[in-house]
Amino acid sequence: MQVIKLIQEESSPNFHHRALLEDAKFLMQRCKCTIQHILKDGNKAADGLANLGVTHLAPFVFLHAPPSEISN
């Protein structure tokens, strides 16, 4: 949430990582992308799928149904 706040607000001129933050803002505007905070409960499916991808040796995993770990 702190990073989102930093990106959405004007940063102080003496902020230690201001150049990096301004680069991120520029790239986000150029790509027309946004960021938002997602509560942990809303992120369980994405986290489960990421963990599934890390544990598989195949470069691609195709699922016909959601894994039982994230089906709820």
Side-chain angles (χ1 to χ4, degrees):
M1 286 177 49
Q2 290 176 341
V3 172
I4 293 171
K5 190 174 180 179
L6 284 170
I7 289 174
Q8 291 176 341
E9 296 177 357
E10 189 66 32
S11 57
S12 169
N14 60 355
F15 179 62
H16 183 68
H17 298 290
R18 184 166 190 226
L20 182 62
L21 187 60
E22 293 301 322
D23 286 347
K25 288 180 184 183
F26 172 77
L27 290 172
M28 288 179 62
Q29 288 174 348
R30 189 164 181 206
C31 297
K32 297 179 183 168
C33 65
T34 60
I35 59 171
Q36 67 182 39
H37 179 260
I38 302 294
L39 295 174
K40 187 175 182 178
D41 287 346
N43 199 31
K44 285 182 181 179
D47 186 54
L49 289 171
N51 289 333
L52 180 67
V54 169
T55 60
H56 279 274
L57 298 176
F60 294 100
V61 177
F62 296 96
L63 304 172
H64 297 287
S68 60
E69 299 87 5
I70 64 166
S71 62
N72 291 335

